[in-house]
Amino acid sequence: MVFVFYFAIPYILRIFAAEFNTDTTMTKLSVNINKVATIRNARGGNTPDVLKFAVDCERFGAQGITVHPRPDERHIRYADALAIKPLIGVEYNIEGNPKGVSKSKPYGFIDLVKEIKPAQVTLVPDAEGVLTSNAGWDTVKNQDYLCDVVKEFKACGIRVSIFIDANPKMIEMAARTGTDRVELYTEAYAREYHRVIMNTPSPLRGTPPREGGESNGINGCSPLQGELSEGLRGVIAPFVEAAKVARDCGLGLNAGHDLSLENLAFFHQQIPWCDEVSIGHALISDALYLGIEETIHRYLKCLNV
């Protein structure tokens, strides 16, 4: 009995850490399923089935489901967002601009989120018609507005995260709104990571590079070496600094936008206390080749899950 308990200790501790968020290396994977809805909407009908896809992502190991309904409903519709909640048991994260108003429903984004009461709402300042999210909040200019919105959601028992650039000042001001977390906008990290990889002599190149040489990415990976290591540390440096500021401010930390099998393992290695990564475009694209089950497993491996 003692022997069995001894080997069960790591498993028990992991459950405890996940429940109380004490394990700084436990980064959850939330799958953004917007792209699945984009494919469905391109043809009409219900293929692929967005609701079934959300359920299957959970079944294959995803620790969260993310949707980002926009007013024009060009991908996830408000009706989808409502229908998903009772079908999943993992954390549900709804992203969007709190100023958004659906063209098919008689209420706006705030009303939608308050009706659904997801585990988390992520506030994103995307303008109507923008192709994809392209900037974080200016938490100085929008301080009063964000304070009011954060207070409204938290009164409903919803955890709030603010989408933000890797800017220490903006993070410090975000903390003053009362938000629970910030989500680092990682497009610049992903872009510069790829640039460094492609401009590094091929003998040093690996996808994604990771100290120790463990394979995680779709094309495998190699240990960090010399020029490559120095270049990538320069790319991640502003994000590490921003993550430390968030931690010092007592904020939880999420990250998202263009994270992929190429760059996720290195990001997690450098910022292991990140609470959650939300990944959609790259993950769904990888699934076209690998299948969604294998893809989710590979992303989880990048997070040491």
Side-chain angles (χ1 to χ4, degrees), residues 57-259:
C57 284
E58 177 179 358
R59 183 163 61 90
F60 297 144
Q63 297 138 322
I65 298 296
T66 292
V67 297
H68 188 145
R70 288 183 164 88
D72 61 10
E73 297 191 323
R74 65 179 182 270
H75 33 62
I76 284 290
R77 300 166 181 155
Y78 275 43
D80 296 326
L82 287 160
I84 289 169
K85 173 68 184 296
L87 300 179
I88 60 173
V90 291
E91 284 199 350
Y92 191 22
N93 172 45
I94 302 180
E95 301 178 342
N97 191 328
K99 298 177 181 179
V101 178
S102 169
K103 292 181 178 178
S104 68
K105 291 283 183 181
Y107 51 57
F109 179 82
I110 291 178
D111 301 305
L112 174 73
V113 174
K114 288 172 67 175
E115 179 176 346
I116 296 172
K117 291 184 172 59
Q120 176 176 270
V121 59
T122 301
L123 309 181
V124 183
D126 50 351
E128 186 172 348
V130 70
L131 183 62
T132 185
S133 305
N134 55 16
W137 284 94
D138 183 329
T139 54
V140 176
K141 292 181 179 179
N142 295 284
Q143 179 73 197
D144 292 341
Y145 174 72
L146 288 171
C147 283
D148 291 341
V149 174
V150 168
K151 183 178 180 180
E152 186 171 357
F153 283 132
K154 291 184 72 171
C156 297
I158 303 169
R159 186 175 71 231
V160 181
S161 180
I162 293 178
F163 192 67
I164 203 160
D165 296 319
N167 182 318
K169 177 64 175 179
M170 293 301 164
I171 293 171
E172 290 169 355
M173 294 303 291
R176 296 187 184 184
T177 67
T179 189
D180 302 289
R181 296 183 181 183
V182 291
E183 178 176 329
L184 292 181
Y185 172 43
T186 52
E187 187 274 335
Y189 162 74
R191 182 184 68 246
E192 291 305 302
Y193 184 104
H194 185 71
R195 180 187 62 78
V196 170
I197 290 293
M198 297 310 295
N199 290 335
T200 299
S202 57
L204 298 180
R205 190 182 301 165
T207 309
R210 186 175 182 193
E211 290 176 321
E214 181 182 342
S215 178
N216 280 295
I218 192 169
N219 298 316
C221 66
S222 63
L224 291 177
Q225 302 177 51
E227 180 183 341
L228 181 58
S229 174
E230 181 179 353
L232 292 182
R233 291 193 190 285
V235 168
I236 194 69
F239 293 87
V240 173
E241 179 187 4
K244 289 178 177 178
V245 170
R247 184 172 60 184
D248 291 344
C249 289
L251 295 172
L253 183 70
N254 298 339
H257 205 91
D258 288 347
L259 292 176

Side-chain angles (χ1 to χ4, degrees), residues 1-13:
M1 183 68 177
V2 174
F3 180 82
V4 173
F5 179 77
Y6 176 81
F7 283 97
I9 287 176
Y11 179 72
I12 294 171
L13 289 177

